[in-house]
Amino acid sequence: MAAELEAEVPAFDRSLLECSAEELAAKWLQTNDLQKEVYQHLAYYVPKIYCRGPNPAPQREDLLAQQVLLGPMEWYLCGEDPAFGFPKLEQANKPSHLCGRVFKVGEPTYSCRDCAVDPTCVLCMECFLGSIHKEHRYRMTTSGGGGFCDCGDTEAWKEGPYCKKHEINTSETEEEEDPLVHLSEDMVARAYNIFAITFKYAVDILTWEKENELPGLEMTEKSDTYYCMLFNDEVHTYEQVIYTLQKAVNCTQKEAIGFATTVDRDGRRSVRYGDFQYCEQAKSVIVRNTSRQTKPLKVQVMHSSIVAHQSFGLKLLTWLGSIIGYSDGLRRILCQVGLQEGPDGENSSLVDKLMLSDSKLWKGARNVYHQLFMSSLLMDLKYKKLFAIRFARNYERLQSDFMKDDHDREFSIADLSIQIFTVPSLARMLITEENLMTTIIKTFMDHLRHRDIQGRFQFERYTALQAFKFRRVQSLILDLKYVLISKPTEWSDDLRHKFLEGFDAFLELLKCMQGMDPITRQVGQHIEMEPEWEAAFTLQMKLTLVISMMQDWCALDEKVLIEAYKKCLAVLMQCHSGFTDGEQPIVLNMCGHSVETIRYCVSQEKVSIHLPVSRLLAGMNWLSVSFKISHRTKTLCNELSPPMLIEHPLRCLVLCAQVHAGMWRRNGFSLVNQIYYYHNVKCRREMFDKDIVMLQTGVSMMDPNHFLMIMLSRFELYQIFSTPDYGKRFSTENTNKDIVQQNNTLIEEMLYLIIMIVGERFSPGIGQVNATDEIKREIIHQLSIRPMAHSELVKALPEDENRETGMESVIEEVACFKKPGLTGRGLYELKPECTRNFNLYFYHFSRAEQSKAEEAQRKLRKQNREDTALPPPALPPFCPLFASLVNILQSDVMLCIMGTILQWAVEHNGYAWSESMLQRVLHLLGMALQEEKQHLENLSEENVVTFTFTQKISKPGDAPNNSPSILAMLETLQNAPHLEVHKDMIRWILKTFNAIKKLRESSSTSPVAETEGNIMEESSRDKDKAERKRKAEIARLRREKIMAQMSEMQRHFINENKELFQQTLEELDTSASGVHDNSPVTSDAKLTALGPEQTRVAEHRQVVMCILCQEEQEVKVDSRAMVLAAFIQRSTVLSKNRSKTIPDPEKYDPLFMHPDLSCGTHTGSCGHIMHAHCWQRYFDAVQAKEQRRQQRLRVHTSYDVENGEFLCPLCECLSNTVIPLLPPPRVLFNRLDFSGQPNLAHWIKTVCQQIKALYLLRDEDCASNSEKMDELQLPEGFRPDFQPKNPYSESIKEMLTTFGTATYKVGLKVHPNEEDPRVPIMCWGSCAYTIQTIERILADEDKPLFGHLPCRQDDCLTSLTRFAAAHWTVSSLSAVQGHFCTLLASLVPNEKNGNLPCILDIDMFHLLVNLVLSFPAIHCQDFSGVSLGTGDLHLFHLVTMAHIIQILLTSSTEENGMDQENTSSEEEVAVLTLYKFLCQCTGSALKEISSGWHLWKNLKAGIMPFLRCSALFFHYLNGVPAPSEMEVSGTNQFEHLCSYLSLPNNLTCLFQENSDIMNTLIESWCSNNEVKRYLEGKRHAISYARESNKLIDLPDDYSCLINQASNFSCPKSGGDKSRAPTLCLVCGTMLCSQSYCCQTELEGEDVGACTAHTYTCGSGVGIFLRVRECQVLFLAGKTKGCFYPPPYLDDYGETDQGLRRGNPLHLCKERFKKIQKLWQQHSITEEIGHAQEANQTLVGIDWQHL
Ligand SMILES: [Zn+2]
Ligand SMILES: [Zn+2]
Ligand SMILES: [Zn+2]
Ligand SMILES: [Zn+2]
Ligand SMILES: [Zn+2]
Ligand SMILES: [Zn+2]
Ligand SMILES: [Zn+2]
């Protein structure tokens, strides 16, 4: 230990190391005043260890502290060497069964939806995986930090409280055992002593506020060293802090970022170290700079000794936390020490002291002691209770502190409430013993002080500070929720008493809300300022669950319910006394009924949406039904008359109606929003729903006629219906159209309300239903609108306090699940039989939903060939208490209303009526008939049907009107031409009416005849149905056929030009056949792609159309250039070595591609063709537009014009250059003379001579050495002075240069320079690389090589290959010749080119392409009669042989016992011979292999990709069609390939045929130093076949990733948890994204970790998974990016971006493959472009900082 330290801290006070822990502990054991001894020790040593300079040195400090400070304490505690003491303690310990693992930020947590007592009960991953719950329905979330695993807490789980690890051993006696019995008495005493001293020391120093002295300690160091300490606040931004620091303490930006990051993380950081003056100065600058807009940053100048002791104080707390981990006994002692009351009485224990100064401590200190509390007090069953009491007693104070503090709640001690209040036994105890409910509510009320004169909350004009406070105070509601979340199973009198006391307080709270934010209708002028409404609704929303839970509690105990009911009623009466203004009552008369009511107009007086007291009463009223105490409550209600009960809810509903009628237009948006939330799923349970219930309750106790009259009056419609012919006045007096419209809407709304009052009986207690019926009905109506995804349904349904909707238990009964495809999500579809439960006037439909549902349902019925009537469904009966509600339907006033409206419809001459009015009346009629029918059907002997609706509507109206009966009017309307839409419904009503009549008559007659009739009818109907079905089937097939044709057409639309071109081609084909007689073109003949035997193909005229000017043009060498839009990008998709970077692109030589393919240049195209000049014009216009736009708006676009980027004008595909279209280039230079072609050896010799000549000539050029000329013997026919004429038109030449330069610029990331000799190399390279990528994609998908590429890729490869072959014509001839010479020299060595890569380090396909495409530069000067094709063939054979050697050298053939045939084939023998020769050449360094079978198998597999690439290459180069056998997958592909490529099937024959030259070449290859080093195992080499790169493997279960990410810490800020861990899907690196800590500089700009990573891993392109967000991120360059759906789906086929829902997520392999394919196809950039074009907000994101 000491040696280590010496090395670490040479500059340290040596005396520190001489301090012996053992001796000191011995001294302490002797002393009488331990505290004094320890304090002296600390006072002396702590300042010597901590805070010795401007920057903390945590490692050094920790080491010294352990040695000098903590060591002695551990010795003292153990009474021996702690190295032995602690393990002993641990062994003797009987650990508790609580897991208690404290969660890190981002760690996954699991809650079981079946067994958790509430959703706050969670398990850590380890416990979860070992528990029974992993088989249950569970929810997964990521922890925000804090909180701990509840495994082992029997109160938290209904079932399976223990995981396997924490399972109780049955032999053990459970709990209750005092853990101290496992410790010796001595140990207990010592632990007590040392804990008491150290804990007190830590608490004292941390809560110390003086700047120049220490608590109970001497200031040993009096030196003038101070720190300027900067504290965290939540007011100032990172940027502000960084900026200020740079100014105040003169640091670099980097240092400032470091300071700011630490301040944000730890809560404070010293930013300056020095004398007092020096620090004060910095402080004043910081304060001055930050005090302008807001309160200044907190800065404090502190003496270094104080900071030192505080640092050690924190260390001590952490130490205590780890020490008690050894033994539950020690933990108990610490708890005891902590909670022991001090000398100052109440609140003087150490725990109290810490809690009460919580808001004064900095973040880091809070974190440390919160963690200690969690691992001590909350883990000890006995002390948890005592601590809970302390917490509850301090509750008010803690909350007040929290209100004043500005830190987030997770950093406040107040946040511990979730750990305490959610424990059912503790919550219950705190309610009864500490009156916690009342405390919480009172505290809450105390903090909401803004009230109006009536004592109601008032949020109007509240300041930002108040708003901030209001947000914080809401957490108290959460506490209340926690306390109530587990309901009592039994009630004690104490609990009843205290609950009701809390209920009183709660009513006080609701009373302050009843009638808050009242509004008055604005007439004339629009309101000037939108009134504040959100606060009131936030309050309502937050309280919604609490109100429901209060009701649930009441419902559990009859006594409580009655008392609560009384209290609620009393409070309501108090509220009302403030409302009713002593207006004179008025009397209403209609149809012989009369009722008295107050005069009140919603449109003229104050009205409020907030009526929580009434609604609470409504809730309790129907609860009381279950206790059958209705009679008692009825008597209670008498004190408040039913009309009074319904008054306020009715006003509220009328307000909604009037808003819909447009009467409140001038009150602005705030009102519209309020009405929206009133109905919204988040609030409606305790708002709208309860208002309906209240109406139902009140009305059930009233005469329906009276109610309807009052209602008419409140709707301000009384006049219209009570005065005969009032309606006519509207039309005749030519009233204001607005008013007519208004009244119409009001009538519609009123009818809707009646429908709801009578029809809404799906709440248990109101109708005879159970809870599942209610939820089923909600789902049915949601799915009636359209099929929905699981999450959509969840959103549309109300959640209870456990975040459950109850949906899963019933969904199967009403819906079928349809799985998702590659995109989209799984959907639930309504089962057909459920549509009969559809109610068009379902009360939770919004207007839009209603009309969508109507449309959908009518359409469905039409499809099923049913009539389109949507009659009301049959309803469950009401509970007895509400049964009288149905009488509304047959009441006189109702009949009068219906009659009047029907009358309007019949007369139909411009009266003010509307179709929806009629539709509602028809619906009401339908409801009444359904009701009567059900009554009749359920008729038992003794009952008399009192519901006689049919009779009533058959009667004509009374005098004096003498209006016709309702029935008669319906019959008239049935034939009205203007009511076509409603005919089906009227017909249904009449039919039902007749059925009922029959039912009434037939109750005595036999029902048999009727059934028979029914059967008859049915069978004919069946026939009918069958016929219709058949017709429908035919229609469907026809439709499908048309659809298929359409989609086919669509698919071809984009390629229209191509189609056109092909058509022309075919025509030309037929006419041109026979022109080239010497070419053996027959489809049966063997097709050969290259060489002298190359199959001659007819030259096609190629005519294409420009997408810009629509003009057609032929592609010819001498015409204007046509171009393809193209996108060039650097690529590492094929890379086998991602760590490799190009050091200096200016000097980099790309001539040889390394076989690791670490960076290639890929070219892609959308296949759209333009004139070169049309494109140029287009691009110039885009450029000009962009420049104007950038000046004006300074916004990014999805493409970077300055980099030459543009969008294809047709398909908007991202492009950055164009490829010229060319005729096959080889034809121009190929002389077709086949006689006397040289063999390989001869050819090589000739070419070498030519090369030598060229070298000499060039030497001559610089040296003008004429002597050398004599040496020069020009090979026969070689004319090096010949300059070939460029055959291309100027415009084509220009495009050749354009594309070449673009490839060079992008590929090397350099400035464009068309003269650079590397330009042609880059062009060839891009051609080779692009072919390689496409070959890989085809291979990975198991597709045949030819005939399966999309047109755009086919076109792109053709153009790219032809371009690459033609490019030499625009570059310097000597440069290209030089390239060829160097390339050839790598295989055929000469004395000029030394230092070339060995054959192990050359990608042979790149070499082949480069050689073949540079060869014409030499060949064009050769007039000896050797064909270009001969050269191609020899080059190909040569490279192929080199590749074979390469494969054999690097092959890792293992001679495993695979079954092999006994008889060795010719190939196997030959390859074995070759291998033996290789062994010879390498001096037997090669592994001995005796199996030709294995060698041949390996060789074949290894060379396949090369052969396939070569086939593609020569196909596109020479245009020889591929044999049809190669367009299908088959076993003989190897033979077909060889034949197409002019190779012998037995590849090794090549060597035998050319043994004269090959043996020498092989020897020279093998003698290379690098090859030797490789064979000696001193270096690595790529072996073949190279496997395709894939994205990394992802785990099936998403939580594995979350766990992995939570263990990941930021690599730069020392063990800190990363906030946005992001996984590179290409290489699997985890990154710390979107954070200052990991920003780096890239090309002079600060970029985030992801962007930086893309430059090394993906040459600018990246695919990431943002683990916390569950989102895929695509990045390209610094400015482009988009988000993409992750490949993880839940069981309902949905992704969960942002991990909000928490359903278990599993990998969807198909979707992941799709992402992988995007990557392999180089389509990421394109995908980003499309996403950004579709969603402009993506353009604005600072992608580079991710
Ligand atoms: Zn656990
Ligand atoms: Zn466990
Ligand atoms: Zn479970
Ligand atoms: Zn054009
Ligand atoms: Zn395009
Ligand atoms: Zn990577
Ligand atoms: Zn970081």
Side-chain angles (χ1 to χ4, degrees), residues 1613-1650:
S1613 40
D1616 214 20
K1617 291 297 155 204
S1618 167
R1619 285 177 210 198
T1622 300
L1623 183 67
C1624 172
L1625 292 180
V1626 175
C1627 68
T1629 308
M1630 189 73 85
L1631 300 161
C1632 168
S1633 166
Q1634 215 178 352
S1635 166
Y1636 273 104
C1637 51
C1638 286
Q1639 280 194 357
T1640 44
E1641 209 178 282
L1642 187 75
E1643 293 160 1
E1645 268 181 285
D1646 280 336
V1647 297
C1650 285

Side-chain angles (χ1 to χ4, degrees), residues 1169-1181:
I1169 301 169
M1170 296 164 274
H1171 281 116
H1173 60 265
C1174 288
W1175 167 70
Q1176 196 67 56
R1177 253 205 313 270
Y1178 167 76
F1179 183 67
D1180 290 345

Side-chain angles (χ1 to χ4, degrees), residues 1333-1352:
T1333 61
I1334 284 180
E1335 188 275 331
R1336 275 298 87 196
I1337 291 169
L1338 290 170
D1340 288 342
E1341 289 179 2
D1342 273 328
K1343 281 195 185 147
L1345 196 54
F1346 291 102
H1348 287 265
L1349 282 180
C1351 288
R1352 59 181 258 187

Side-chain angles (χ1 to χ4, degrees), residues 112 114-115 133 136:
C112 179
D114 297 326
C115 314
H133 310 294
H136 299 175

